[in-house]
Amino acid sequence: MARSVYEADHEALRDSVRRFFEAEAVPHYADWDAKGAIPAAFWQAATGHGFVGLAEAGDPRFAAVVLEEAMAAGLPAVAFALATHESVA
């Protein structure tokens, strides 16, 4: 869904985050949920891609894009951890 609040850079981030979540989180999420933890390797990869800490980047829309994509992918614990900075290695 295109919204006027986002610009081309935000949509480019959205595409990257979506692909990352589809490859690195969605296939494993049920197992993580059952174990009650998201592995540090996931957070390290997300950080390496620049998807962690975007709330401090000066433009909150970038963080909003990541949170929207986490929820759209069915990853509420990822969204919560990113929003609260809990369990982020």
Side-chain angles (χ1 to χ4, degrees):
M1 164 190 341
R3 288 169 274 175
S4 62
V5 69
Y6 294 116
E7 298 171 10
D9 289 346
H10 302 106
E11 296 305 335
L13 174 66
R14 183 181 305 282
D15 291 339
S16 295
V17 169
R18 183 179 298 133
R19 286 191 307 273
F20 176 76
F21 285 160
E22 287 173 355
E24 303 296 331
V26 172
H28 312 289
Y29 190 76
D31 184 49
W32 298 347
D33 193 41
K35 291 179 180 176
I38 299 169
F42 171 79
W43 296 119
Q44 291 166 348
T47 300
H49 282 82
F51 301 150
V52 176
L54 289 173
E56 291 84 32
D59 184 345
R61 295 176 295 176
F62 288 110
V65 164
V66 175
L67 294 175
E68 288 175 1
E69 288 304 311
M71 292 304 294
L75 307 168
V78 171
F80 179 77
L82 286 168
T84 62
H85 293 20
E86 294 189 21
S87 303
V88 177

